[in-house]
Amino acid sequence: MPRNRLPRTSPRRLRRPRAVLATASALVAAGLGIAVGITACAPSSPAVDTVGAVDFDTPLAIPPLAERTVDDEGTVHVDLTAERGTTEFVDGEQTPTLGYNGSYLGPTIRLKRGEQFAPCLTNNLDSVTTLHWHGMHLPAAADGGPHQPVEPGADWCPEWTIDQPASTLWYHPHPHEDTERQVGHGLLGMLQITDDTERALPLPREYGVDDVPVVIQDARFGDDGEFTATQDFVGTLGDTLLVNGTVGPYFEATTDVVRLRILNASPARVYDFAFDDDREFAMIASGGGLLEEPATLDHIRLSPAERAEILVALEPGETVTLRSNPPDLGENFQPLTGTAGHEDRFDVLQLRAASDLAHVGEVPETLTTIEPLDPAKASGERSFTLNGHSINDKQMQMDRIDAVSTVSTTEIWDVVNEMPAPHNFHVHDVQFQVLSIDGVPPPPELAGWKDTIYLEPDVEYRIIMEFADYADADNPYMFHCHLLRHEDAGMMGQFLVVEPGADLPSRWTVDETPGDDDDADAAGGHAHH
């Protein structure tokens, strides 16, 4: 069989017996660790509850739109400078922070499908960084992962064509073993793509007026105002929310419908967003673009890096609060190494409707058409199990390739979190579709395009993706848990997208993720293609 073809196989159940999960939990709770070398950590603090305790006395900061310049050939240029600064979150205290073109966060970049995009990063930090375009379909050499390091004082200027549906993406650093610190200190920004389909809909789209970015991070401050870390297994869990860098924010709405583009930019925390009066809202898009039709929800769970666009209807003069309730982390979740934030509640953002609201328009009944990827046309399946800080019992190695995919093919990936603790799963370059969750079709909020998905413990997620183009045997993409401490600790693998029959450079060690067959299991978890 050619090296880069996956075997066509039949699915099998990947559920780990709950007794094994319970045993792992007991070992960690006893301080003995588990096979992957993760030792027990004490909870960072008691459960956090800010409901009713937030003053909402500061207007929501709106990140500026990035300055675009267009050259004679129509290429869009955006310049970003990664820099250090200080930001006052706590009265009278200056917190050391990182940002793009400022002290904290970065500008919102707006692009149209079909535009040629040429961003340029200047690194004014004192450490290596990268610039990853999370959720973007792009050449691997422009992806901004750990193989595209930008040294202090250097520039990095990739270029590609925007070729994907309207969506809310984001950009952030992805340096090897230093992502949690850089993102947690504010080095990130939102990127929004529009297309003809989205522009034809009667949706709110005036930036900062009825189309509002909501970038959420949690932080914990020391006595000197500096960010402090916690030792929870999942990573640092804060007790204060920063929304677009604002503590206790309110937004003055002037329209009867507001579009909130919610980005969970926290390094580790899972949120369950809802409104204080339990009102329903219309979810119109997941991270990869519009849903086929609005999903009527009263809450939405978002793990780190996930996004959701929602429409909220308002009445003149009313006040409503977006909050995060204790998230459901799965029926097999156990707080084995700290709180994981599963009992925490936060007041997030207050919406204050003006006494006279402009009418935006009715929520469309249909939004777009999503062509389902056909499992029957998949070239094969791969199996991924997450445990501790490892994927398939392996940790990240810069010279190892864990999967080799052929351009213009479709694959099914079966992904399972074998730990009773939170993990999620992000795939670079592609937007995938969720085929099933433990054999059941996905709920409406997971029925669109995704690049990151929360993995409830001991639950099989079958996702399907197409590697449409951008073959490159020299530059890999990543897949990993997007809880950033896990990523930094090595919970990441690499895959190449190549032409059929391509010869791989000798610097790569290929240790492919197994296909779903007995031969792969017999080979110790490594299938040979």
Side-chain angles (χ1 to χ4, degrees), residues 5-9 375-382 409-414 462-465 515-516:
R5 289 287 290 178
L6 284 168
R8 188 174 299 279
T9 57
K377 295 181 179 179
S379 59
E381 301 190 14
R382 299 185 190 272
T409 65
T410 299
E411 293 182 8
I412 296 171
W413 290 10
D414 299 311
R462 299 189 75 228
I463 60 178
I464 186 169
M465 65 203 73
D516 224 2

Side-chain angles (χ1 to χ4, degrees), residues 394-453:
K394 296 181 289 185
Q395 292 189 301
M396 169 72 174
Q397 293 183 13
M398 292 283 282
D399 63 352
R400 188 190 68 232
I401 299 299
D402 302 285
V404 181
S405 302
T406 303
V407 71
S408 301
T409 65
T410 299
E411 293 182 8
I412 296 171
W413 290 10
D414 299 311
V415 188
V416 175
N417 171 14
E418 292 191 325
M419 249 192 124
H423 289 300
N424 69 3
F425 195 70
H426 170 50
V427 186
H428 288 209
D429 177 49
V430 298
Q431 293 288 337
F432 55 76
Q433 296 173 1
V434 181
L435 291 175
S436 63
I437 301 173
D438 255 2
V440 178
E445 63 268 26
L446 297 180
W449 293 105
K450 298 279 292 179
D451 55 62
T452 309
I453 191 166

Side-chain angles (χ1 to χ4, degrees), residues 282-302:
M283 179 178 172
I284 60 169
S286 54
L290 295 170
L291 303 178
E292 287 200 305
E293 58 187 34
T296 301
L297 305 173
D298 59 14
H299 70 103
I300 176 71
R301 180 181 66 191
L302 295 180

Side-chain angles (χ1 to χ4, degrees), residues 113 134-136 164-169 191-195 197-198 201 203 259 261 283-295 307-310 367-370 430-433 444-452:
R113 186 171 193 173
H134 185 115
M136 187 73 76
Q164 62 193 96
S167 50
T168 297
L169 311 181
L191 187 149
Q192 302 172 1
I193 298 174
T194 187
D195 62 12
T197 299
E198 190 271 342
L201 296 169
L203 295 174
R259 180 182 190 173
R261 299 182 188 240
M283 179 178 172
I284 60 169
S286 54
L290 295 170
L291 303 178
E292 287 200 305
E293 58 187 34
R307 291 88 66 205
E309 296 181 37
I310 67 173
L367 299 166
T368 191
T369 299
I370 297 176
V430 298
Q431 293 288 337
F432 55 76
Q433 296 173 1
E445 63 268 26
L446 297 180
W449 293 105
K450 298 279 292 179
D451 55 62
T452 309

Side-chain angles (χ1 to χ4, degrees), residues 3 6 147 382-384 390-405 411 413 425 476-480 490-496 504 508-515 525-527 529:
R3 172 185 293 275
L6 284 168
H147 288 277
R382 299 185 190 272
S383 300
F384 298 85
S390 299
I391 300 177
N392 288 351
D393 298 322
K394 296 181 289 185
Q395 292 189 301
M396 169 72 174
Q397 293 183 13
M398 292 283 282
D399 63 352
R400 188 190 68 232
I401 299 299
D402 302 285
V404 181
S405 302
E411 293 182 8
W413 290 10
F425 195 70
Y477 299 104
M478 308 291 126
F479 58 85
H480 57 90
M491 200 169 196
M492 181 159 58
Q494 305 188 114
F495 69 98
L496 291 171
L504 303 187
W508 297 130
T509 299
V510 180
D511 189 2
E512 284 208 70
T513 298
H526 304 305
H529 304 309

Side-chain angles (χ1 to χ4, degrees), residues 38 128 193 217 226 246-247 293 362 468 485 488:
I38 305 303
V128 173
I193 298 174
Q217 291 197 292
E226 294 193 4
T246 313
V247 177
E293 58 187 34
E362 302 302 322
R485 185 168 297 173
D488 286 345

